[in-house]
Amino acid sequence: NKMKPVGKLGKRVKGEDENWEWTLDFGLCFMKGKRKWKWKQTDLHIYFMSLIKNPEYVGFVRHRTRVTGRRHRKTGQSATDRRQKMQIGNKIFDIGHHTAVMAILNVTPDSFSDGGSYKNMDDIRRRVSQMIEEGAEIIDIGGESTRPGHIQISDEEEICRVAPVVACLKKEFDIPLSVDTYKSAVAEAAIQAGCDLINDIWGLQYDEKMAGLIADAGVSRCLMHNREKIDYRDFLPDCMADMRKIIETAKVAGIAEDKMILDPGVGFGKTLEQNLMVMKHLNDFNQFGYPVLLGTSRKSMIGLTLDLPVDQRVEGTITTSVWAVRAHYGFVRVHDVAANYRAVRMAEAIMNAQ
């Protein structure tokens, strides 16, 4: 705001990459006080490229550098174009225009937020019915707590917790069901019971049989970014490299591309600062062309940032859900369905205003 342009806008640069083409107009000379600052064409081109990483910047003006740019969707069909809709079970999700709410149903005694809340099948039925009324479009069932410091249970115990719930809900409710597991034996039992999606917190890295099982079953798959050790050299580029490896593993196994969802993995294999960095750069995970799910509900990132216990993190979760809508994510995974559903609808109304 202290730099004044000298002369008229002049140079125009055009460029393109795999999915986008753009035009760039800029002036070559600026004045701050009595000193002239000259900008090379290549410098401004690099600066402009750094600005247009976020898909919502369809058109904008950066007054400080007098850069004016426009992005246009190329006429060829890109990966993102092909995934405007996604089918999970018998429901088609309009992920190109709507962020769907995935409701969390933990049938565990020790989950960090709602462990032990449902004592029997009647409690589970009532809770699922309530979540559907509040706006849930898919139910994610967890049979083992994955909170920090959790104790791993056997495959048999997890199957006993999850499979009967899936079978019961499949008979009584017309809604897609997801099972949160990283174990192939549990996934197989869940699929046989009727689940439509496997939500794997290890992104096919824990159990070598998982990828082949999912490919053969033909169910949908959510692949989350995770690391056993927080040993990044360059955090965001390393995350993107990890995601590419996960996607490649899925493709090699034969998992259909229209069955894949990605998850940035907030709360897994990351420090507080790194989790916040993921939130700041949600759009980066759109570069792969797959639907993306955000799961931040009541997590420690919110608790540590706001210094709040688990049962007081609703507003923090809502904020992240709105951020997911702004980033055009396909799904948000939450405990507090009604509050997040309303926030998603409001955010979408604002974004779609003409």
Side-chain angles (χ1 to χ4, degrees):
N1 58 0
K2 294 182 180 180
M3 298 180 70
K4 299 179 180 180
V6 178
K8 297 181 180 180
L9 293 177
K11 281 284 186 179
R12 168 166 288 185
V13 174
K14 293 185 177 181
E16 62 180 86
D17 60 16
E18 181 181 357
N19 297 326
W20 297 95
E21 58 187 13
W22 58 85
T23 57
L24 168 64
D25 301 300
F26 55 87
L28 294 178
C29 189
F30 297 83
M31 179 175 287
K32 184 175 183 181
K34 296 182 179 180
R35 179 181 177 185
K36 288 186 177 181
W37 289 21
K38 291 186 178 180
W39 294 72
K40 295 181 181 179
Q41 175 178 328
T42 52
D43 293 338
L44 281 175
H45 187 259
I46 292 170
Y47 175 66
F48 180 71
M49 284 295 296
S50 71
L51 293 176
I52 66 169
K53 286 182 179 180
N54 296 322
E56 68 263 31
Y57 293 152
V58 176
F60 57 85
V61 178
R62 297 290 292 200
H63 293 287
R64 182 178 179 185
T65 56
R66 282 297 190 269
V67 174
T68 303
R70 299 187 303 277
R71 296 210 315 171
H72 314 281
R73 177 71 70 180
K74 294 176 71 175
T75 54
Q77 192 180 45
S78 70
T80 305
D81 291 328
R82 293 194 298 269
R83 296 181 181 86
Q84 292 297 305
K85 297 183 184 296
M86 179 180 188
Q87 183 167 353
I88 303 175
N90 61 0
K91 181 177 175 62
I92 296 176
F93 292 86
D94 186 11
I95 56 176
H97 303 91
H98 173 58
T99 301
V101 173
M102 173 186 279
I104 299 170
L105 179 71
N106 284 321
V107 290
T108 61
D110 58 343
S111 289
F112 81 95
S113 179
D114 57 350
S117 297
Y118 315 112
K119 304 296 184 183
N120 52 55
M121 204 64 73
D122 288 337
D123 289 344
I124 291 172
R125 289 192 194 96
R126 280 192 291 270
R127 177 55 180 155
V128 170
S129 179
Q130 179 188 8
M131 291 192 293
I132 293 173
E133 289 180 3
E134 291 175 345
E137 297 176 64
I138 183 169
I139 307 295
D140 188 48
I141 304 162
E144 178 184 81
S145 172
T146 53
R147 74 188 193 287
H150 77 281
I151 299 175
Q152 189 179 61
I153 62 174
S154 67
D155 292 1
E156 292 75 15
E157 184 175 356
E158 190 174 349
I159 291 170
C160 287
R161 292 178 182 179
V162 168
V165 174
V166 173
C168 173
L169 298 181
K170 200 66 178 178
K171 290 179 181 178
E172 300 198 21
F173 298 96
D174 183 23
I175 189 169
L177 300 178
S178 166
V179 168
D180 184 354
T181 187
Y182 52 91
K183 304 170 187 174
S184 61
V186 179
E188 183 175 13
I191 292 168
Q192 290 175 353
C195 94
D196 305 295
L197 183 150
I198 298 297
N199 185 7
D200 183 356
I201 66 165
W202 279 105
L204 306 176
Q205 300 176 83
Y206 177 84
D207 188 331
E208 62 182 11
K209 298 179 182 179
M210 185 69 98
L213 171 69
I214 299 303
D216 293 341
V219 298
S220 299
R221 158 67 88 196
C222 183
L223 304 172
M224 195 182 81
H225 178 270
N226 200 346
R227 275 198 181 191
E228 189 173 355
K229 295 181 180 179
I230 305 176
D231 55 356
Y232 305 94
R233 291 186 176 181
D234 193 351
F235 176 64
L236 284 173
D238 286 356
C239 280
M240 299 304 115
D242 291 347
M243 292 304 305
R244 291 187 189 94
K245 291 178 182 177
I246 291 170
I247 293 167
E248 185 61 26
T249 299
K251 288 182 177 180
V252 170
I255 296 177
E257 292 198 51
D258 63 355
K259 298 291 186 182
M260 285 197 280
I261 302 170
L262 303 181
D263 182 340
V266 171
F268 290 86
K270 301 169 186 69
T271 64
L272 170 61
E273 291 74 19
Q274 289 165 346
N275 285 317
L276 292 170
M277 187 65 68
V278 168
M279 288 301 308
K280 183 178 180 180
H281 294 275
L282 288 182
N283 275 305
D284 287 8
F285 291 86
N286 286 322
Q287 67 182 271
F288 304 105
Y290 299 97
V292 189
L293 176 149
L294 182 67
T296 61
S297 187
R298 303 182 185 176
K299 286 187 175 178
S300 62
M301 176 190 72
I302 298 167
L304 293 172
T305 301
L306 303 179
D307 192 22
L308 291 174
V310 170
D311 60 353
Q312 296 180 34
R313 299 176 185 175
V314 178
E315 297 89 349
T317 302
I318 289 172
T319 304
T320 63
S321 292
V322 171
W323 233 244
V325 174
R326 291 182 69 251
H328 305 285
Y329 274 27
F331 306 88
V332 288
R333 179 180 178 272
V334 299
H335 297 86
D336 305 287
V337 177
N340 283 275
Y341 175 72
R342 293 167 187 167
V344 166
R345 286 188 60 192
M346 191 67 220
E348 288 176 342
I350 293 169
M351 289 181 63
N352 295 331
Q354 296 291 326

